[in-house]
Amino acid sequence: MPSRLNPYISFSGDAKQALEFYKEVFGGDLSVHRYADFGSEAPPGYADKVMHGTLETAGGFTLMGADNPPGAEHTPGNTMAISLSGDDAGELRGYWDKLADGGTVSVPLEKQMWGDVFGMCTDRFGTTWMVNISERQT
């Protein structure tokens, strides 16, 4: 397996719902492992929490995520965003519409000064997304 780099998102108890939502947005195969799936005694209240989840899409996207482990503080913040970019406007607008639904749009998806269509939103699970649609130069 070649080395790869992909986002790993931490959640505060709703990782399963969030990963299922991302599967609805992007399609693909979702694998979710709960703390109870690993045979040892799960920490109190964690049996059904996600220890590790992976979404692999046909388009080559990989998202990983989990509920924070016991004792770890979950502090959503503005230190990371996931960027989607390309020139397939229909595909990228479709992702945008689903991610922004129920979330907060901080930059509307519209033509920007650099010539591309760009937008930024935070989805209903607190994850920030940037979408950039390259405009073909004629």
Side-chain angles (χ1 to χ4, degrees):
M1 169 190 227
S3 297
R4 65 181 178 182
L5 178 69
N6 58 268
Y8 200 108
I9 308 169
S10 296
F11 298 93
S12 63
D14 55 2
K16 186 170 189 299
Q17 296 89 335
L19 291 168
E20 288 171 346
F21 169 67
Y22 298 141
K23 181 180 179 186
E24 289 175 23
V25 172
F26 301 110
D29 295 316
L30 177 61
S31 171
V32 174
H33 303 283
R34 302 169 307 132
Y35 278 84
D37 296 335
F38 289 94
S40 62
E41 182 84 17
Y46 274 78
D48 288 326
K49 301 289 185 205
V50 175
M51 184 178 220
H52 177 73
T54 303
L55 176 63
E56 299 274 357
T57 74
F61 300 158
T62 300
L63 281 175
M64 293 181 178
D67 288 309
N68 271 5
E73 184 178 337
H74 184 260
T75 309
N78 59 4
T79 59
M80 88 132 206
I82 301 173
S83 175
L84 299 169
S85 56
D87 60 10
D88 187 331
E91 177 185 49
L92 292 166
R93 284 183 188 280
Y95 296 150
W96 170 265
D97 291 343
K98 292 174 185 174
L99 292 166
D101 185 30
T104 304
V105 173
S106 54
V107 177
L109 186 64
E110 58 191 23
K111 187 124 177 153
Q112 300 296 325
M113 67 176 132
W114 59 89
D116 291 348
V117 173
F118 174 85
M120 190 162 55
C121 68
T122 301
D123 70 27
R124 60 184 160 198
F125 295 99
T127 301
T128 301
W129 296 85
M130 298 183 297
V131 175
N132 191 88
I133 304 168
S134 297
E135 294 285 298
R136 295 186 181 163
Q137 303 299 318
T138 55

